[in-house]
Amino acid sequence: ASQTGHQLSSRAADGSKLRLFGSTREDEVRVVFYRDHAAWCPYCQKVQSALEEKQVSYRIVKVNMNCYGQKDASFLAKNPMGLLPVAEVDGRLITDSNQILGVLEATFREHSLIPSGREDEVKALLSLERRLFGSWFNWLRNSFGDAANREAFERDLALVEARLGRVSQDGPYFLGKDFSIVECHFASFLERMAASLAYFKGFQMRCNPDLPHLE
């Protein structure tokens, strides 16, 4: 309802939403982004975060996740598997979140989210994100061996905290002063880790004195 929100978003003739960043006409939008209605999907969030940070104008179409109802037939005609997110970039359909991010980087080179010369660092940090994801999911899903699963997750979480601590003098991000694709990956899952572990395991990630840099 704010003035800024009104200026930056508008509704297209087909009912989809437009995010234009003030510099693109509706007929010049090159990206159609399909994401979940409920805004729970972390894979959708990391793609939308990248679109926002890169300031790539896009059309957004919201689609039900399976647990919230049937998907529209027109969407299933494009993507029979029905998985989200999906993006169309210059008419090319892409159905994997990491592939979408790669195509966005290659197609829209302004506001790059992979700083030049730091590609190896980015690759290593994305591997750490997947490691943390694995230990989180393993603990969340399995009550058998709960203490060992918690220990594994806390060990990986400590690695993330240590990384942020090493670069904290340069800035708040994983690469110091530079916001990068790493934040898009980590932030979307850290939010869900914090919520799910507090609810299901009684584990507090937020306001945790052992995680000052992560906080």
Side-chain angles (χ1 to χ4, degrees):
S2 68
Q3 182 181 20
T4 300
H6 176 71
Q7 289 174 337
L8 294 182
S9 296
S10 60
R11 187 171 292 278
D14 62 2
S16 62
K17 286 281 192 176
L18 293 172
R19 186 80 159 107
L20 299 178
F21 298 101
S23 61
T24 309
R25 300 197 314 266
E26 179 178 343
D27 60 354
E28 296 174 332
V29 173
R30 298 167 60 188
V31 176
V32 182
F33 175 50
Y34 299 85
R35 71 156 300 156
D36 60 314
H37 267 293
W40 174 247
C41 173
Y43 300 98
C44 293
Q45 182 180 332
K46 72 180 181 181
V47 171
Q48 191 162 7
S49 296
L51 286 165
E52 290 290 316
E53 288 296 327
K54 290 176 72 65
Q55 295 193 11
V56 173
S57 295
Y58 61 97
R59 183 187 308 270
I60 186 167
V61 180
K62 293 186 177 181
V63 180
N64 281 329
M65 293 176 70
N66 288 334
C67 53
Y68 292 118
Q70 294 293 319
K71 291 180 170 63
D72 190 270
S74 61
F75 175 75
L76 291 174
K78 292 176 180 288
N79 180 30
M81 292 291 291
L83 299 177
L84 294 167
V86 170
E88 290 178 274
V89 181
D90 293 331
R92 174 187 173 188
L93 191 74
I94 310 143
T95 59
D96 174 83
S97 60
N98 288 339
Q99 290 180 15
I100 294 170
L101 293 175
V103 170
L104 292 176
E105 274 294 298
T107 306
F108 304 96
R109 297 184 179 275
E110 292 187 17
H111 304 292
S112 174
L113 296 180
I114 304 178
S116 179
R118 307 192 75 176
E119 293 85 357
D120 288 345
E121 273 185 277
V122 168
K123 185 177 180 180
L125 286 165
L126 294 183
S127 293
L128 177 59
E129 187 271 334
R130 287 292 85 188
R131 175 174 172 169
L132 181 67
F133 172 89
S135 59
W136 162 62
F137 210 54
N138 190 49
W139 183 23
L140 187 66
R141 292 183 65 192
N142 296 293
S143 57
F144 180 77
D146 205 56
N149 292 333
R150 173 173 179 156
E151 182 180 341
F153 174 77
E154 289 186 300
R155 183 169 58 248
D156 291 339
L157 195 62
L159 293 175
V160 176
E161 172 66 21
R163 166 66 195 199
L164 289 168
R166 285 199 300 274
V167 298
S168 61
Q169 68 276 9
D170 300 321
Y173 303 119
F174 280 96
L175 297 181
K177 65 180 178 64
D178 296 318
F179 184 101
S180 73
I181 199 73
V182 179
E183 273 69 44
C184 297
H185 283 259
F186 264 99
S188 61
F189 283 101
L190 286 170
E191 286 186 350
R192 286 149 182 85
M193 290 176 193
S196 61
L197 292 179
Y199 185 81
F200 290 107
K201 300 294 184 179
F203 180 80
Q204 295 296 326
M205 283 176 59
R206 298 302 310 273
C207 303
N208 187 325
D210 293 329
L211 304 171
H213 298 101
L214 189 61
E215 181 67 26

